[in-house]
Amino acid sequence: MFKTLRIALLLFVLFNVAAAAWLTRARAAAWNVPLRVAVFPVAADTSAVTASYIRRLDRERLAPIEDFFREEASRHGLSLSTPVEVHVGREPEVAPPAPPHGARGLPVILWSLKMRWYAWRHGVEDGPASHVRLFVLFHDPQLRASAGHSLGLRKGMIGVVNAFAGNAHTAQNAVIIAHELLHTVGATDKYDPATNLPVWPDGYAEPQREPLLPQSFAEIMAGRVPVSREQAEIPASLAEALVGPATAAEIGWVPAR
């Protein structure tokens, strides 16, 4: 009898967790209220540069992300004046589980479950609970050349973002954060993983531009500005990025084509 009750209780808890997650995704997809996004800074190394940057990280440094979504939502005709609100959560005491880069199937599923458990335990906020929780691992740029792969999950609406500490990297960090944030609300990548080049037409910010190349902006889910058919440049900031028509449809800003 005790075992049966324990199983029933576990199933009840799992059902409520799944139902709450589904309701959160549904409400976020409706875009009737601002999407609340929490950024949890994590020191990826023991560098004093990283620690100092995290201590100074505040909502003002993340404001370009809010501005980007406000301008892009308005451009696509969304009536919500403030579609995204970003704030800084508490720094977790431990780093999130490392994603299985390049893996598929069971390893990804297991990591996803671990990540959702981690977010539940370590995503501590001082205000109301956010819809999206992004754990941003900051690295000292003097210690490594590449920050590493980032991931955003629609299930659980959580993400792990690798970024660089330092004022010189704040603008490009915002591009990466915005990209992974969009993954959590249903946007897909729009670049060729073999070449990292944007895929026409969905990976182009202005797919009907004449002449087509060079483009002036990066489609945010493609992550690069196409200069030629063989070359694309990483945008310096969100001022050089747009939400393209396909991405706008995926996240519910415009009707699906």
Side-chain angles (χ1 to χ4, degrees):
M1 176 64 72
F2 177 73
K3 182 178 180 180
T4 301
L5 288 174
R6 186 171 62 180
I7 294 173
L9 179 61
L10 178 60
L11 290 173
F12 176 76
V13 171
L14 291 175
F15 172 80
N16 280 278
V17 169
W22 182 86
L23 284 172
T24 298
R25 289 198 302 271
R27 289 168 180 166
W31 297 100
N32 293 322
V33 297
L35 185 75
R36 296 191 303 274
V37 179
V39 170
F40 299 93
V42 182
D45 50 46
T46 58
S47 167
V49 171
T50 302
S52 175
Y53 185 80
I54 287 177
R55 282 196 303 270
R56 292 181 284 111
L57 186 68
D58 55 19
R59 188 169 181 176
E60 183 177 353
R61 287 177 182 263
L62 301 173
I65 300 172
E66 291 188 359
D67 295 340
F68 171 74
F69 283 106
R70 183 182 300 110
E71 293 169 4
E72 287 302 283
S74 176
R75 189 171 65 85
H76 283 286
L78 194 72
S79 60
L80 188 63
S81 60
T82 305
V84 172
E85 292 179 350
V86 185
H87 66 90
V88 181
R90 297 185 194 177
E91 181 180 358
E93 295 181 358
V94 296
H101 181 53
R104 293 183 179 182
L106 184 59
V108 176
I109 294 173
L110 292 176
W111 174 79
S112 173
L113 293 173
K114 291 178 183 178
M115 190 61 216
R116 292 165 76 174
W117 172 254
Y118 171 87
W120 180 75
R121 292 193 63 192
H122 299 285
V124 180
E125 303 177 60
D126 295 321
S130 294
H131 300 109
V132 178
R133 291 165 293 176
L134 300 176
F135 297 87
V136 183
L137 282 73
F138 288 100
H139 304 261
D140 183 341
Q142 297 300 317
L143 299 180
R144 57 187 296 171
S146 173
H149 189 62
S150 300
L151 282 175
L153 301 176
R154 188 174 188 182
K155 288 187 177 181
M157 300 181 75
I158 52 180
V160 177
V161 180
N162 282 285
F164 281 126
N167 294 336
H169 300 276
T170 297
Q172 281 199 337
N173 289 343
V175 176
I176 301 170
I177 293 172
H179 176 99
E180 299 305 332
L181 190 166
L182 283 167
H183 273 312
T184 71
V185 291
T188 59
D189 285 326
K190 294 173 177 63
Y191 59 86
D192 183 344
T195 62
N196 287 328
L197 291 174
V199 176
W200 185 88
D202 293 346
Y204 281 53
E206 300 173 296
Q208 306 305 322
R209 178 186 175 98
E210 292 290 346
L212 181 62
L213 295 168
Q215 293 268 304
S216 299
F217 299 92
E219 206 289 334
I220 187 65
M221 297 311 295
R224 285 171 170 77
V225 182
V227 177
S228 69
R229 296 197 180 278
E230 295 79 28
Q231 182 184 0
E233 298 177 348
I234 297 175
S237 72
L238 285 170
E240 298 179 6
L242 297 177
V243 172
T247 298
E250 288 175 335
I251 65 175
W253 280 2
V254 299
R257 294 179 293 179

